[in-house]
Amino acid sequence: MPHSLFSSLRRRALGALLASLAGALLIAAAAQAQDNSTLRIGYQKFNSLNILKGSGALEKALAPQGVRVSWHEFAAGPQLLEALSTGAIDVGHAADAPSVFAQAAGKPVVYLAAEQPYPRGIGLVVRQQDPLNDVQDLKGKRVATGRGWNAQYLLAVALQQAGLSYQDITPAYVNNAADAIAALQSGSVQAATLWDPFLAAAERQPGLKNLRDGTGLTNNRTFYLSTARFADSHKALLRIFFSELAKASQWANDKPGDVAALLAPQLGINADVLEVASQRRNYNAVPVTPEIVAEQQKLADTFQGLGLIPRKLNVAEAVYPASVLP
């Protein structure tokens, strides 16, 4: 069953990636035809926006304003932020690392709000049969990860804490979590960086174990992003959006079992796995405070030190100056 689960996840991830790329092109082609009557939202599976979509509450709240909602699914944050920067969508969410890489690439995206810390939602997963008991044991090993992933940042700071550097491992770059899991199971890598719900699924997989999560290393935040151009013209609309998001998020915090039941059919992942992932998460959105900016600055500086970001970033420049939270 677990093997078939991850095979299914891999097929779904590949399909979602192709759909994301094709969808972004189609949306971009039609972007000029869009007007203020439609709010275009980009989302990834297993997140507060996925939950809001399932509730239908935003559509009801915006109907009196004559505004429709269109939802656009993306396989990961980098693809979503690319669509946002080209005007293909109006608002969306991404993890901390993809958000920094978008700024580094000069994409005109801005932070609107952040989620609460979610350090247990990322991890370094290894096989139990391998003699790997702590992060120091990863020296000289191949690790499956993705460029600009939040879990790649965990890998970097975990190695630092263990007295190692990123150069002490050999990164094997993959495009999605399913490929990382497949590489680990095949033995072509000795560790994989994962995030929920894939991490929660891996933790239940016989023969796998979570060597290190983000506790004490990274807050692993999700951010809500738009462009300054859209936010400047749609503050009232964004306040309604965040008001409904807050209701959905509080419901999700109070009832992780119901969240799992809602999302399991969409994700093709067992509800008990999703419940574990949801129980360790706080979905509530909060303002982007100076402390959160400092977290992001540390992340940006770390990636710059690894040579993955070519120049010094000032994260504060990408924070939208006005509040759109209710």
Side-chain angles (χ1 to χ4, degrees), residues 49-63 69 71 244 248 262:
L49 289 183
N50 201 174
I51 297 167
L52 180 60
K53 176 179 181 289
S55 73
L58 184 60
E59 286 82 350
K60 294 178 182 177
L62 291 179
V69 180
W71 298 90
E244 294 304 318
L262 174 70

Side-chain angles (χ1 to χ4, degrees), residues 103 293 297 300-301 311-319:
Q103 183 184 4
V293 171
Q297 189 65 55
D301 293 344
R311 62 182 176 87
K312 174 77 173 180
L313 291 184
N314 183 353
V315 170
E317 293 178 350
V319 177

Side-chain angles (χ1 to χ4, degrees), residues 187-224:
S188 64
V189 301
Q190 288 72 56
T193 68
L194 296 175
W195 66 93
D196 275 341
F198 307 104
L199 175 62
E203 289 171 337
R204 297 175 65 89
Q205 165 82 359
L208 298 181
K209 66 179 180 180
N210 189 353
L211 189 67
R212 180 71 162 93
D213 66 21
T215 302
L217 292 175
T218 170
N219 277 333
N220 182 37
R221 292 183 191 270
T222 288
F223 289 90
Y224 299 95

